[in-house]
Amino acid sequence: MTATNGVNGAKAPKPTFPAEAATREYAASLDKADPLRALRDEFIIPSKANLATKKLAKPGLSSDPSIYFCGNSLGIQPKAIAKYMEAQLDTWASIGVCGHFTKLEDSPLSEWQLLSEQASASMCKIVGAAPDEVAAMGTLTTNLHLLLASFYKPTESRKKILMDWKAFPSDHYAIESHIEWHGLDAKENMVLIGPDEGTYEVSTDKILSYIDKHAGDAAVLLLPGIQYYTGQFFDIPTITKYAQDRGLIVGWDLAHAYGNVEIKLHEWNVDFAAWCTYKYGNAGPGAMAGLFVHERHGKVDYSEGEDAPKFRHRLTGWYGGDRSVRFKMDNKFKPIPGANGYVISNPSVIDLTTLCAALSVFDKTSIADLRQKSFKLTAYLEYLLLKDTTDADRMFSIITPSDPHARGAQLSVLLKPGLLHKVAQRLQDAGIICDKREPDVVRVAPVPLYNTFEEVYTFVEVFKSALSE
């Protein structure tokens, strides 16, 4: 879960910076020494000129890039997208339906019937799973629904679902609807775990206390790997084991953790997980999502014969059936072992294409190396924001945990009331894209794949100037 120093997996210490660190020259020196700096060239950085126009335009010149700190909402476009899309469109145009089963030479893409497996083979490395434990399919909310349909099995004594106090609507609506689907009262059976008093942070101890309190009446624990509002990275392995030891099924929404922090879903024994791929994953707006089902839940037992497979119940669909018999059309469901047995429909090849293109960039590095850079990049942002100020005179606070092991690439900056729109406008005018959340939060996410230390320096310079105006 944590950035390490490479010695027996020990936690890396929080980065420290010298007195001269608050200079543009120092920031530039960090960029020059960055071993991942070439990855920035894999992306199209929106230009300031294009951000200022309302007309459809070609990508701007690299000499006029914006500062894009909004990868926690939507990642920018990898250059590989155009290449992969061209290959896909040419395949469709040149051989039509034969594209389902024909691997064309010089194409970066598999035949369509295997394209989701191509995506899973890369995606599984990002979440720490085996390829057959991961499926590229659907969207985040759809996948949460499918997983809850399989894993939420309320009984007379165990009905409740433990969840985050400020859950993203994807989770809240899905959980609420599944409880009601079973004829239960959502208000009584949705247990919201809130932050500790006087803070926005939900401590691990607080979560464990809720698990203890509801060990006899809860069926499922479903939490975000990273909380979207505060940027807190939860202790997934500790919480998972604690809840499972008390009889709960444990699932994680990794929307803000995928492509952001190191995840080891298989090793941590997580039951199920879901994520989107358009944030830190850079696969495009509304891109195809992913899900994880631990191998123990994906087994198919044929001990009673080929026509009587036994498997974990789920909402089934044609494409969850084994390819060897898929086209027999005899309506005898033979599920694919693993997560792909949860696939419902023929997946969109266009969506898979952009996903595979985005994953091709991740294939050039590792999530461990990205996390190491992010660890320092975010610490540098925090250092510059807090430098030469005190809590008393500061016009903002950082509500993301100060512990770098308890956060990813995002810092959520809580402004004093009435400042948000002025600051947001000033940043936009300077060509700096961040996410604002009413009433007073700016979420700043320097992404290690394409953001730089000098961009962090410039952001802080403009941000502090806006506060003083």
Side-chain angles (χ1 to χ4, degrees):
M1 171 177 172
T2 57
T4 63
N5 60 13
V7 182
N8 298 322
K11 281 187 175 182
K14 187 173 184 175
T16 58
F17 299 94
E20 70 273 15
T23 64
R24 187 173 297 278
E25 291 74 21
Y26 181 82
S29 73
L30 292 179
D31 288 325
K32 186 176 181 180
D34 174 20
L36 301 182
R37 63 187 180 276
L39 290 173
R40 180 177 170 90
D41 294 334
E42 301 288 334
F43 294 88
I44 302 172
I45 312 294
S47 70
K48 293 178 181 178
N50 282 351
L51 289 174
T53 184
K54 301 299 182 182
K55 293 183 179 180
L56 184 65
K58 294 294 184 181
L61 299 175
S62 58
S63 59
D64 184 36
S66 64
I67 295 178
Y68 195 89
F69 283 170
C70 209
N72 55 346
S73 186
L74 177 68
I76 59 177
Q77 185 182 132
K79 293 176 181 177
I81 294 285
K83 173 186 174 182
Y84 277 58
M85 282 295 292
E86 182 178 19
Q88 192 57 265
L89 294 174
D90 286 348
T91 300
W92 181 19
S94 61
I95 63 174
V97 70
C98 298
H100 282 97
F101 304 102
T102 305
K103 172 68 174 82
L104 296 178
E105 294 180 10
D106 301 323
S107 173
L109 297 163
S110 300
E111 56 266 43
W112 299 338
Q113 283 287 296
L114 299 180
L115 197 51
S116 61
E117 282 84 347
Q118 178 178 336
S120 295
S122 292
M123 196 154 49
C124 70
K125 293 180 287 186
I126 297 175
V127 297
D132 61 1
E133 292 179 310
V134 170
M137 58 181 283
T139 59
L140 174 62
T141 308
T142 298
N143 290 346
L144 284 172
H145 275 297
L146 293 170
L147 290 165
L148 285 169
S150 180
F151 286 93
Y152 177 53
K153 302 294 184 183
T155 65
E156 187 62 32
S157 59
R158 287 181 174 270
K159 305 174 184 178
K160 295 180 179 180
I161 298 180
L162 309 185
M163 58 184 289
D164 178 40
W165 70 291
K166 201 173 179 64
F168 203 81
S170 297
D171 301 57
H172 189 101
Y173 297 157
I175 290 171
E176 188 174 41
S177 66
H178 275 269
I179 290 172
E180 293 177 346
W181 189 13
H182 287 277
L184 302 172
D185 187 334
K187 291 182 179 179
E188 292 183 3
N189 292 288
M190 294 173 70
V191 179
L192 277 60
I193 307 174
D196 303 321
E197 188 174 351
T199 180
Y200 285 85
E201 187 171 347
V202 184
S203 69
T204 298
D205 286 344
K206 183 73 171 289
I207 295 171
L208 301 187
S209 73
Y210 268 71
I211 294 171
D212 280 335
K213 182 179 179 180
H214 295 281
D217 59 19
V220 170
L221 171 71
L222 178 57
L223 292 174
I226 289 182
Q227 214 283 338
Y228 83 94
Y229 186 71
T230 66
Q232 180 183 352
F233 183 17
F234 290 108
D235 188 344
I236 296 176
T238 297
I239 295 168
T240 297
K241 185 178 188 307
Y242 199 86
Q244 289 174 339
D245 286 348
R246 285 149 185 81
L248 278 72
I249 289 286
V250 181
W252 293 90
D253 175 347
L254 303 178
H256 287 264
Y258 170 81
N260 180 8
V261 291
E262 286 186 86
I263 301 291
K264 300 178 181 179
L265 292 178
H266 178 85
E267 180 181 325
W268 296 342
N269 205 41
V270 168
D271 291 299
F272 69 89
W275 55 88
C276 54
T277 62
Y278 52 79
K279 300 179 188 297
Y280 298 98
N282 311 303
M288 184 171 288
L291 62 76
F292 164 89
V293 176
H294 197 280
E295 65 176 6
R296 67 183 180 280
H297 297 302
K299 292 179 179 178
V300 182
D301 179 5
Y302 288 101
S303 61
E304 296 182 9
E306 286 293 312
D307 292 331
K310 292 190 294 184
F311 54 95
R312 184 179 187 89
H313 183 74
R314 78 287 304 263
L315 298 178
T316 53
W318 184 34
Y319 262 65
D322 195 277
R323 283 189 301 275
S324 65
V325 296
R326 183 177 292 166
F327 290 93
K328 287 187 176 181
M329 315 298 281
D330 60 5
N331 290 338
K332 293 180 180 179
F333 186 65
K334 184 178 181 180
I336 299 172
N340 277 296
Y342 281 73
V343 176
I344 298 295
S345 304
N346 185 356
S348 165
V349 170
I350 300 300
D351 287 335
L352 279 171
T353 296
T354 63
L355 176 56
C356 288
L359 287 166
S360 73
V361 181
F362 282 93
D363 287 340
K364 295 181 179 182
T365 182
S366 70
I367 195 67
D369 286 345
L370 289 171
R371 176 63 166 150
Q372 187 173 7
K373 176 182 175 180
S374 180
F375 200 68
K376 189 168 186 177
L377 193 64
T378 307
Y380 187 55
L381 171 62
E382 181 187 39
Y383 165 81
L384 292 178
L385 283 170
L386 300 181
K387 182 175 173 54
D388 298 329
T389 62
T390 65
D391 291 342
D393 63 18
R394 204 174 292 134
M395 301 176 72
F396 64 90
S397 59
I398 299 173
I399 62 175
T400 306
S402 180
D403 177 2
H405 300 281
R407 67 190 185 199
Q410 171 183 315
L411 290 185
S412 293
V413 182
L414 177 65
L415 303 173
K416 288 188 174 181
L419 293 175
L420 180 63
H421 292 290
K422 180 186 80 168
V423 170
Q425 187 62 53
R426 179 70 176 83
L427 292 171
Q428 185 173 329
D429 291 344
I432 301 173
I433 307 301
C434 297
D435 180 71
K436 64 179 181 180
R437 294 283 161 162
E438 300 286 356
D440 300 305
V441 168
V442 177
R443 301 189 309 154
V444 190
V447 177
L449 276 169
Y450 50 77
N451 285 132
T452 68
F453 289 91
E454 191 167 357
E455 286 179 325
V456 167
Y457 179 87
T458 300
F459 164 81
V460 174
E461 188 177 56
V462 175
F463 176 77
K464 288 187 173 180
S465 174
L467 289 176
S468 63
E469 290 176 354

